[in-house]
Amino acid sequence: PPSSDSGTGSGSEASGPVYQNKRMIRGPPGLIKKSSWTNPFDSKWLENWHKVLTETVSDNERRIKEMKKGVEDAKQKVKEGHDLVDKKVDKSLLEDEISEDEAIGDEIDTFPPLTEEMMMAVDRALSGGPLMETLVDHFNIGITRKDVQTLKDLTWLNDEVINFYFNLLMDRSKKVAPSIHIFNTFFYPRLLKVGHQGLARWTRKVDLFSKDLIMIPIHLGMHWCLAVIDNRTSTITYYDSLLGDNHQCTAALRDYMVAEHLSKKKQPMDPASWKLVIEKDLPEQMNGCDCGVFACKYAEYISQDRPFDFAQSDMPYFRRRMIWEIINKTLL
């Protein structure tokens, strides 16, 4: 019977093309030839090709590892470079901070806190015994409890407290710039009364012109002010916490310096070489009793060439701080 696989349906046996190994072999009817085709992908070839591929993959993996290592090494060098820069920057900033602190003082100490122990010492000084008990004797000035009590809130400061505090400023200037000389509270009234000639002995042991600053507390009966002679700039400046004018004071101090120069240097000085200033840009007093504290703090800041950064609200703190500084004979 006809083969259903012949692909022709004619009944002849294998009369059409015969497929073997997917190649067409044509021949006489009834004859099927063996294919002469050989498989190129024999086991040897496959083995060689597998070897080639394996070596290629291994080589690529090696290169990838080397590239990864190179990237990691580069990252590490960059990090080390950044760390080195950071260290140099930190060192530079630290050196700048130290240099700045040495030049203008450490600003964080403007308002150093008073510890509990310090406050207890202040309280004992104010009310721990007889009024006339001497709490400290220094600079040839004795400070009693009664004197210290002038530093209580809403109280006028007396001469002893002012003079002692100004001596603390001058004592500190022996260790740090600028150099200063101070006159006590009796200098200005005597200057107005007797002039330079009556004050000649006050400067027998000091050359005023070798000092950067000369500070004079000014007492106007019921009000304290400050005058500062700056030899570095040939300027005489008057500081009044009530913003008052006192041209008489600056003129008298100018004439005193001219006479002092002639007396000590034996050379005349041109009065016009001095600039006289009534300072108006300064912290203002807002009551009738803190003028002495303002005058002291003006002097304290100026003695370190520091700008004013305080106000009326800081007076209670300054009063207690000054008590501690006076009884300990040192400035914070």
Side-chain angles (χ1 to χ4, degrees):
S3 171
S4 61
D5 295 329
S6 64
T8 64
S10 62
S12 60
E13 185 175 350
S15 60
V18 176
Y19 291 89
Q20 183 179 353
N21 293 330
K22 299 183 179 180
R23 295 186 64 182
M24 183 183 294
I25 307 294
R26 292 183 181 273
L31 178 64
I32 299 177
K33 290 184 178 179
K34 284 188 175 181
S35 172
S36 61
W37 178 84
T38 58
N39 186 359
F41 306 106
D42 58 13
S43 60
K44 186 66 175 178
W45 184 89
L46 291 173
E47 181 181 345
N48 289 337
W49 181 242
H50 182 269
K51 182 179 179 181
V52 170
L53 290 177
T54 301
E55 290 176 352
T56 301
V57 170
S58 298
D59 186 60
N60 288 340
E61 289 178 346
R62 179 181 58 78
R63 291 182 180 180
I64 290 172
K65 288 181 179 179
E66 290 177 351
M67 291 175 64
K68 286 183 177 179
K69 186 176 185 303
V71 171
E72 292 300 324
D73 290 343
K75 287 182 178 179
Q76 181 62 29
K77 289 182 180 179
V78 170
K79 182 179 183 301
E80 291 174 353
H82 288 169
D83 291 343
L84 180 60
V85 170
D86 289 341
K87 288 180 181 179
K88 289 183 177 181
V89 170
D90 291 342
K91 181 180 179 182
S92 176
L93 291 174
L94 179 61
E95 290 174 348
D96 288 344
E97 290 173 358
I98 293 174
S99 176
E100 184 177 357
D101 288 345
E102 290 174 346
I104 65 173
D106 189 354
E107 293 186 1
I108 64 173
D109 286 338
T110 301
F111 298 92
L114 301 179
T115 65
E116 183 177 352
E117 183 180 356
M118 295 166 74
M119 295 292 281
M120 290 174 62
V122 169
D123 290 337
R124 287 194 299 270
L126 287 170
S127 57
L131 284 179
M132 300 311 297
E133 178 185 356
T134 298
L135 302 179
V136 59
D137 194 340
H138 199 46
F139 309 123
N140 292 321
I141 304 173
I143 298 294
T144 67
R145 180 167 286 104
K146 183 178 180 180
D147 297 323
V148 167
Q149 288 186 349
T150 67
L151 279 163
K152 293 173 65 176
D153 291 339
L154 305 178
T155 307
W156 287 336
L157 275 59
N158 67 7
D159 292 274
E160 284 74 21
V161 166
I162 297 282
N163 289 330
F164 197 99
Y165 190 81
F166 272 64
N167 271 279
L168 287 176
L169 299 178
M170 185 167 66
D171 192 54
R172 181 176 64 185
S173 76
K174 296 174 182 178
K175 305 171 187 176
V176 295
S179 62
I180 71 171
H181 180 74
I182 63 103
F183 286 120
N184 64 29
T185 56
F186 307 108
F187 173 83
Y188 180 64
R190 187 162 181 79
L191 175 63
L192 294 181
K193 185 176 182 179
V194 300
H196 176 270
Q197 185 175 358
L199 295 167
R201 66 182 182 85
W202 287 51
T203 56
R204 285 180 301 174
K205 299 180 181 181
V206 61
D207 177 8
L208 293 182
F209 299 96
S210 69
K211 304 297 182 180
D212 295 321
L213 301 170
I214 303 165
M215 296 186 167
I216 308 102
I218 306 295
H219 192 214
L220 304 177
M222 298 179 65
H223 186 52
W224 290 105
C225 299
L226 171 71
V228 177
I229 300 170
D230 191 335
N231 281 319
R232 300 169 299 182
T233 59
S234 297
T235 303
I236 300 174
T237 307
Y238 184 78
Y239 299 87
D240 183 347
S241 55
L242 293 178
L243 304 185
D245 295 331
N246 194 341
H247 298 288
Q248 179 189 28
C249 176
T250 55
L253 292 174
R254 175 201 58 199
D255 295 343
Y256 172 83
M257 293 298 289
V258 169
E260 180 74 1
H261 193 272
L262 181 61
S263 173
K264 298 295 174 62
K265 304 296 183 181
K266 308 304 179 185
Q267 293 180 351
M269 172 183 281
D270 183 6
S273 64
W274 287 97
K275 181 180 180 181
L276 309 184
V277 177
I278 306 295
E279 184 60 64
K280 299 295 185 180
D281 183 17
L282 72 173
E284 296 182 47
Q285 174 186 349
M286 306 303 290
N287 61 23
C289 52
D290 280 329
C291 54
V293 184
F294 272 92
C296 287
K297 297 314 294 184
Y298 291 154
E300 199 269 328
Y301 275 68
I302 295 167
S303 72
Q304 297 185 85
D305 286 330
R306 286 163 54 187
F308 301 138
D309 65 353
F310 59 89
Q312 174 68 59
S313 59
D314 298 309
M315 293 302 110
Y317 161 78
F318 282 141
R319 284 177 175 271
R320 299 186 73 82
R321 172 176 163 179
M322 286 175 65
I323 293 174
W324 188 93
E325 290 172 327
I326 288 172
I327 61 178
N328 286 277
K329 299 179 290 188
T330 188
L331 295 171
L332 292 175

